Amino acid sequence: MSSCDQPGLMPVETALERLFAMAEAAPINETERVSLADGEGRILAQSLIATLDLPPWANSAMDGYALRLADWTGEPLVISQRIQAGSAPLPLQPGTCARIFTGAPLPLGADTVEMQENTTLADDGRVAFSEPLKLGQNVRLQGQETRIGDEVLPVGTRMGPIELGLAASLGCADLLVRRRLRVAVLSTGDELVEPGQALGPGQIYNSNRRLLISWLHRLGCEAVDAGILPDDLQQTRAALAALADVDLILSTGGVSVGEADFLGVVLREEGELALWKLAIKPGKPLTCGHFRGVPVIGLPGNPASTLVTFALLARPYLLRRLGVQRVAPLGFKVPAGFVWSKPGARREYLRARLENGQVLPYPNQSSGVLRSAAWAEGFAEVLEGTTLAIGDSLRFIPLSEVLG
Ligand code: AMP
Ligand code: MG
């Protein structure tokens, strides 16, 4: 244990392992069939197997001339046919070449294509080839990308623009996907008011509800808006009981050890409760448990804490429940454009930007300041127990890695 380890603080990795165990214990196995047009963001429940070769037939990678290399003596060749993309060629007449365009099928008997830039068309209509020719050049062979029967996308793939394009290239019109995950979003706090209403004394607008619902939609989840929950034991009990048909209750606020933190009380009474003190900043307290069998994750209420804990813990949990394996956000090393002199016991996720090849944090890193994240392009990860001088390397996780 280093001098910076704070007894009782749970490392981010341990929290993730436990969340994955929770997720894998309650996988979403129900499936539905959706058209490719509705496939964005959905998770494959059945691997995509190629039912044709790609390309389906040999074709030209260039605009030029197709020939059989063995027929070429070095003399210009007569053009015996013209083959456009989308047409069906005749077999190549021996000793001739075919005018051919990119994507057009290679005629039977041809094995080589020369691009038109390396040819000259003589007055007699014959084509002279100026460069040495190599057998098979500029030919895309049948099945060179994919063969019939190949597993092109495994179960658990998240369908994005690339995967949808690939499925379309194989002629796939619909997909078997996991049903959407239903996630209830509950905002706790007597002080919360929705935008559009006037603020009374001591009140603030509810930012987490919008943040989380919008984010859940991006993740392909169905968000059930459970509104604002006052800090009241009875109402907390009733609110959770009304959410029996969701896959996850995701709440914010009321998860520390304050007197108004009723989520923990109710979980202790009615189900199971784990209160984690995470080695993460912002975001230390996290509630995890079940209410009458429904998984519950309680994120801290400060909006930047909600953001960081959702990005790094709740998001991977949700995706894992849907069977996605690769859920860790990618990051890359960048030089620090700032000094970090006090090693912390918690791993910090500074809301930061890249400027001139260095990473710079937003000046106000308070966990209540969501504006820091709107300014930021990602998280600068400062590990537990470390100091940084200008130019020292640290990991930067782009927000784009976690927002979708
Ligand atoms: P709590 O975890 O309930 O003690 O809340 C911690 C801080 O986050 C307090 O300043 C709350 O007012 C604030 N907070 C809690 N929930 C929200 C929310 N949904 N929107 C904005 N701020 C919140
Ligand atoms: Mg509260």
Side-chain angles (χ1 to χ4, degrees), residues 184-269:
V185 175
L186 201 55
S187 316
T188 75
D190 282 340
E191 73 281 29
L192 301 178
V193 175
E194 288 305 334
Q197 293 172 346
L199 281 182
Q203 294 184 318
I204 59 167
Y205 287 117
N206 180 1
S207 41
N208 291 338
R209 170 181 177 239
R210 199 41 55 212
L211 170 80
L212 291 177
I213 290 178
S214 161
W215 205 338
L216 286 165
H217 286 159
R218 281 196 172 199
L219 291 171
C221 297
E222 186 188 329
V224 176
D225 183 357
I228 293 172
L229 180 63
D231 293 313
D232 174 86
L233 190 55
Q234 292 286 69
Q235 292 191 56
T236 303
R237 243 185 237 127
L240 295 191
L243 296 170
D245 63 341
V246 299
D247 299 306
L248 175 72
I249 298 172
L250 185 65
S251 82
T252 64
V255 295
S256 39
V257 286
E259 281 165 20
D261 295 334
F262 295 108
L263 184 68
V265 177
V266 173
L267 289 183
R268 202 172 284 124
E269 284 174 0

Side-chain angles (χ1 to χ4, degrees), residues 280-282 308 312 347-351 379-381 397:
I280 192 173
K281 191 174 177 186
V308 167
L312 299 172
R347 187 175 300 179
E348 301 229 9
Y349 289 91
L350 306 174
R351 279 72 69 214
F379 299 127
E381 186 183 58
I397 303 169

Side-chain angles (χ1 to χ4, degrees), residues 143-154:
Q144 74 174 35
E145 176 183 340
T146 299
R147 287 263 176 218
I148 288 185
D150 282 355
E151 184 187 74
V152 178
L153 296 171

Side-chain angles (χ1 to χ4, degrees), residues 337-391:
F338 63 100
V339 172
W340 192 261
S341 49
K342 278 200 229 143
R346 293 192 277 158
R347 187 175 300 179
E348 301 229 9
Y349 289 91
L350 306 174
R351 279 72 69 214
R353 253 189 200 186
L354 296 179
E355 296 279 7
N356 303 318
Q358 291 191 322
V359 63
L360 285 180
Y362 188 74
N364 186 344
Q365 291 289 327
S366 160
S367 58
V369 177
L370 191 55
R371 190 173 164 192
S372 60
W375 177 89
E377 293 162 335
F379 299 127
E381 186 183 58
V382 183
L383 296 177
E384 301 89 319
T386 57
T387 56
L388 293 170
I390 302 276

